[in-house]
Amino acid sequence: MFDDKDGESEERVYLGGTLNMLDQPEFRDINKVRSLFSVFEENNKLKELLSHDQKGLSIMIGAENADQVFKNCSIISATYQINGKQFGSVGVLGPTRMDYGKAIAIVDYMNKQLDRIADREAPEDPDLDQEGRQLREQRKNKSSVCKRSGR
C-alpha cells in the first residue's frame, strides 16, 4: 500500500516474469495459462494470494492453495512491515516442481531488503506498541523463520 498525495492509501500489485511461466511444461496448456493470466488481471485475487498474517515465509503447494486455478502451482510469499505493521508482500509463483531452495532464498532476501529499506525510510511511529518494537528489534537480530502453511 502506498499513501497518495491526498493521504489515502492505494494498493498496487506489481508483476514481473509472468511470460517465463510459458517456458514450463505445466503451462503449455493454453486453457491453464488463460485461467492464470485472468487471475493476474484481478488485483484483489492477487492481493489475497500474497497476503497472510503469518510472520516469516509462507509456502503453499498445489492443493493447499485456496483457488483451484493454482492447484498445479506453488506460492512462496512473505509480508514486510513498517513500524511493526504489515505494509506489503513479495512472492514467487511457479510449478510445484520448482527449485524451492532457490525460490525461498530469493523471497527471503527480497523481504529482508524491503524490511530494511522500509524501516530506514519510515519515520518512528509514536503509536508503535510493545509488540511492534519487539518485532523491529528481532528483525535486526535474527533471520526469518520459514513456516509452511497448510489448508
Side-chain angles (χ1 to χ4, degrees):
M1 293 214 287
F2 302 94
D3 286 330
D4 65 16
K5 57 186 167 198
D6 296 328
E8 295 181 16
S9 63
E10 178 184 342
E11 295 182 353
R12 298 180 190 167
V13 176
Y14 298 95
L15 295 173
T18 53
L19 292 179
N20 293 333
M21 295 175 72
L22 298 176
D23 295 334
Q24 305 303 317
E26 294 86 349
F27 304 111
R28 294 217 173 109
D29 178 347
I30 192 70
N31 292 322
K32 285 183 186 178
V33 173
R34 183 177 285 121
S35 296
L36 279 172
F37 281 30
S38 69
V39 171
F40 294 162
E41 291 181 2
E42 297 178 42
N43 278 344
N44 287 336
K45 280 195 176 185
L46 283 175
K47 286 183 263 186
E48 287 174 21
L49 183 69
L50 290 173
S51 297
H52 54 84
D53 294 329
Q54 180 177 312
K55 296 174 186 172
L57 294 168
S58 171
I59 303 169
M60 294 190 302
I61 301 171
E64 294 175 356
N65 293 303
D67 196 317
Q68 190 67 12
V69 172
F70 299 108
K71 70 177 183 178
N72 295 318
C73 301
S74 291
I75 302 162
I76 300 169
S77 63
T79 57
Y80 53 98
Q81 302 177 346
I82 292 182
N83 291 327
K85 297 175 186 170
Q86 185 174 335
F87 185 73
S89 300
V90 62
V92 170
L93 178 129
T96 55
R97 61 175 184 77
M98 76 165 80
D99 182 345
Y100 287 92
K102 183 177 180 180
I104 289 168
I106 289 168
V107 171
D108 189 43
Y109 175 80
M110 290 301 300
N111 189 53
K112 286 178 183 175
Q113 296 306 310
L114 289 167
D115 264 343
R116 186 180 58 78
I117 292 167
D119 276 346
R120 187 178 65 216
E121 300 294 326
E124 192 64 38
D125 185 348
D127 297 327
L128 190 63
D129 60 6
Q130 179 65 26
E131 183 181 4
R133 286 190 290 276
Q134 287 174 343
L135 284 171
R136 180 176 264 183
E137 274 306 306
Q138 287 173 357
R139 279 201 312 264
K140 289 179 183 175
N141 299 325
K142 293 183 182 178
S143 62
S144 296
V145 174
C146 178
K147 298 179 184 174
R148 181 153 180 232
S149 60
R151 293 200 181 198

